[in-house]
Amino acid sequence: MKLKIYSLIAASTITMALSSCKKDFLEQTPITQVGPDVAFADAAAAEKLIQGAYDGMYNDFHIWDYMTNGDVRSDNAYAGGDNPANIQLDLFTVISTNGNVGRDWNALYSDIKNCNLILTNVPNIKDTKLDAGDRRKQILAEASILRAYMYFNLVRTWGSVPLVVKVPITDAEFYPAKATVEAIYAQIITDLEYGAANARTTAPNKGIMTKGVANALLAKVYASKATPDWTKVSTYADAVINGGYSMVTNYDFLWDSNHKNNTEAIWEMQYDGYGGLHGNWMPSVLVGTGWKRFNTPTNSLSKAFDDAGDAVRKASSIKFNNVVSEGWSDSYWAKTSYPYINKYRADDKSDNYILRLADIILLKAEALNELSSSGWSAAAPLINQVRNRVGLAATTASDQASMRLAIENERRLELAFEGHRWFDLLRTNRIIPVMNAQVDGAGANLNYNLTPAKLYFPIPQDELDKNPNVR
């Protein structure tokens, strides 16, 4: 029986605008250019499908929107530049026609579509090569971890969204309603548990989904649920910490482009330059002259580094330039000392650290602190491990409440511009008071007026127009 092949689409939950009939849609070329007669025929085709899922991730969301969503919306960065969509994110005036909102929704659901192709069809491929060395399970595990990561981003960014876990066939499946946040998290955990049980422990590079990636995501997922399960956070963080990773000795090694796929990296994107298959253009929009760059570090973050005496991480994270000769102005910074993000420096080489060990160590410390009123003492050595690397003294936190704030600040300084800050403040219910207290360099309140109604992106207008079930 010939299987139906679905095209690579840029629409949510595969709810695309079917301006033509479904027959035309079904006849389009599938991902990785596998023809309809061989797409699900053998082990080689299965390998093409999983490679297609990885290749499909080199889109705007994974290249830099993940960082814009996590840092520009937070107190780490202003929008910078002159892009109206980014400015809306910065000022909490996002509307359903915002271009970033639409492209991120499309990118994540397109990635999910690629995973669903694998998870729906690879189990049925009759090729004994797939079962040699458990390769079939490994491919399914990698696709499961990838799908979980996409839904984790969706649920944290939009809240309730459609949950699609197979290739759609019926009209109803093409136009799904939104699932509850609880149901989405349950599916994420199911996918990650399968991934943790069946993925490889090590892989040829850090771009491949391994047990370590699944365990790290499980720790973050259990910390992000409406009611965090700190015991599970601790357990999965331990699995990562004891999983063969180690922090690099020099913090700047993470960003100098000479230490890719290092011992601290759990998962990082694999960029090979503009002349290769996967170029990373993000640094060119963050640093340089000739036009005002995006994602400008905030006065608040710069001050936080200074208040902590954290010269090492500040130098790795923020670079100050004299831009008096540039033909633009800025509302927040003097042009004599204007800041740029410095973590992504090599214009065609930088890797994005999607997950790294320091993040999980700090999450383990948070779990210990939340599990017991005396847990702060057990958390302190973990905090100090991260601080000692950059030459800082031991934390002075001496009870649960002060340790909670110490961990929050440590995560901010350690993980700045890695896409975490907004989601850390969101999951700890700190986002509204922190953002509404923000001031400029002169101490004037920025009047963000953040409210619960503004915490999540709206469903993109294109999706609302196509699928009435998501309204």
Side-chain angles (χ1 to χ4, degrees):
M1 172 178 167
K2 185 181 290 187
L3 294 168
K4 294 182 178 180
I5 309 300
Y6 291 82
S7 67
L8 178 61
I9 57 173
S12 76
T13 63
I14 319 176
T15 61
M16 68 298 297
L18 296 177
S19 56
S20 58
C21 68
K22 287 181 185 172
K23 180 177 182 293
D24 292 335
F25 162 60
L26 295 174
E27 289 176 351
Q28 298 298 308
T29 305
I31 57 172
T32 66
Q33 305 301 306
V34 179
D37 294 327
V38 297
F40 309 122
D42 55 24
E47 296 291 352
K48 288 183 179 180
L49 288 168
I50 188 62
Q51 187 58 52
Y54 286 119
D55 290 346
M57 291 177 63
Y58 291 87
N59 55 44
D60 287 348
F61 176 83
H62 301 288
I63 287 176
W64 87 306
D65 280 0
Y66 80 96
M67 191 264 283
T68 301
N69 296 346
D71 286 276
V72 168
R73 285 197 294 163
S74 79
D75 52 349
N76 279 357
Y78 307 121
D82 59 359
N83 184 292
N86 282 16
I87 293 170
Q88 283 184 11
L89 266 62
D90 185 13
L91 301 181
F92 306 113
T93 58
V94 179
I95 57 177
S96 61
T97 55
N98 182 286
N100 287 23
V101 170
R103 77 183 181 193
D104 289 351
W105 176 279
N106 290 342
L108 289 167
Y109 273 114
S110 183
D111 291 332
I112 288 168
K113 195 273 316 187
N114 291 342
C115 295
N116 285 344
L117 276 173
I118 297 164
L119 294 166
T120 298
N121 294 291
V122 168
N124 301 318
I125 295 177
K126 300 185 183 304
D127 188 335
T128 56
K129 293 179 181 178
L130 275 177
D131 298 309
D134 290 327
R135 184 57 185 147
R136 189 193 305 269
K137 288 183 179 180
Q138 291 171 359
I139 290 173
L140 295 173
E142 290 172 35
S144 295
I145 298 168
L146 283 171
R147 183 171 69 181
Y149 176 69
M150 306 311 164
Y151 273 119
F152 189 38
N153 280 292
L154 283 164
V155 74
R156 292 186 301 165
T157 306
W158 277 273
S160 177
V161 297
L163 180 62
V164 178
V165 294
K166 66 177 183 177
V167 177
I169 297 176
T170 67
D171 285 347
E173 290 170 340
F174 271 89
Y175 302 103
K178 292 189 289 186
T180 65
V181 168
E182 293 75 15
I184 296 166
Y185 269 109
Q187 182 63 50
I188 291 170
I189 291 169
T190 295
D191 280 347
L192 291 175
E193 287 176 341
Y194 181 87
N198 295 287
R200 289 174 283 185
T201 301
T202 60
N205 63 66
K206 295 294 182 78
I208 293 174
M209 301 298 102
T210 61
K211 291 181 184 294
V213 177
N215 287 325
L217 286 173
L218 278 163
K220 294 178 75 66
V221 164
Y222 276 111
S224 300
K225 295 182 67 179
T227 302
D229 187 331
W230 294 111
T231 298
K232 290 286 182 67
V233 174
S234 180
T235 297
Y236 286 113
D238 281 342
V240 176
I241 293 168
N242 299 321
Y245 305 99
S246 61
M247 294 203 305
V248 298
T249 56
N250 186 323
Y251 185 75
D252 207 59
F253 285 173
L254 297 167
W255 320 111
D256 66 3
S257 296
N258 296 318
H259 299 84
K260 297 181 180 182
N261 295 305
N262 57 60
T263 59
E264 185 164 339
I266 302 168
W267 170 29
E268 64 180 85
M269 301 288 283
Q270 301 295 302
Y271 292 105
D272 56 7
Y274 288 139
L277 181 63
H278 302 131
N280 180 11
W281 47 262
M282 180 171 72
S284 65
V285 303
L286 299 180
V287 180
T289 59
W291 50 276
K292 187 177 182 181
R293 265 38 185 192
F294 298 107
N295 297 18
T296 309
T298 61
N299 287 276
S300 170
L301 179 62
S302 180
K303 183 177 184 300
F305 279 119
D306 293 341
D307 289 348
D310 193 351
V312 172
R313 288 185 295 200
K314 183 178 182 179
S316 290
S317 303
I318 305 175
K319 179 181 180 180
F320 289 86
N321 285 333
N322 185 318
V323 294
V324 171
S325 62
E326 298 302 315
W328 44 261
S329 61
D330 187 77
S331 300
Y332 303 110
W333 287 100
K335 293 173 68 174
T336 52
S337 184
Y338 190 81
Y340 298 97
I341 291 176
N342 198 35
K343 281 188 172 178
Y344 310 98
R345 308 166 190 171
D347 200 38
D348 65 348
K349 298 178 182 178
S350 296
D351 293 61
N352 290 352
Y353 282 80
I354 306 299
L355 284 171
R356 59 184 179 91
L357 181 60
D359 175 6
I360 305 305
I361 289 174
L362 293 174
L363 203 58
K364 168 69 176 183
E366 188 173 350
L368 291 173
N369 190 53
E370 296 300 330
L371 282 168
S372 166
S373 60
S374 61
W376 63 270
S377 60
L382 295 171
I383 298 292
N384 293 337
Q385 180 183 354
V386 175
R387 292 174 61 81
N388 290 345
R389 173 168 64 175
V390 294
L392 295 179
T395 179
T396 59
S398 58
D399 57 33
Q400 187 180 46
S402 62
M403 179 59 77
R404 189 174 288 139
L405 292 176
I407 292 170
E408 178 184 296
N409 192 57
E410 201 66 36
R411 288 185 63 82
R412 184 187 191 190
L413 303 182
E414 173 71 23
L415 303 171
F417 312 127
E418 296 177 54
H420 298 292
R421 177 64 170 173
W422 171 270
F423 299 108
D424 279 345
L425 293 175
L426 184 65
R427 66 180 174 79
T428 57
N429 297 312
R430 289 267 295 151
I431 190 65
I432 289 177
V434 167
M435 294 310 299
N436 286 342
Q438 289 304 298
V439 296
D440 64 16
N445 193 281
L446 293 176
N447 296 315
Y448 282 130
N449 298 316
L450 182 60
T451 65
K454 299 177 182 179
L455 294 179
Y456 296 94
F457 282 177
I459 302 292
Q461 189 60 49
D462 284 350
E463 190 61 29
L464 294 170
D465 293 340
K466 298 167 196 172
N467 181 7
N469 295 321
V470 297
R471 294 174 185 168

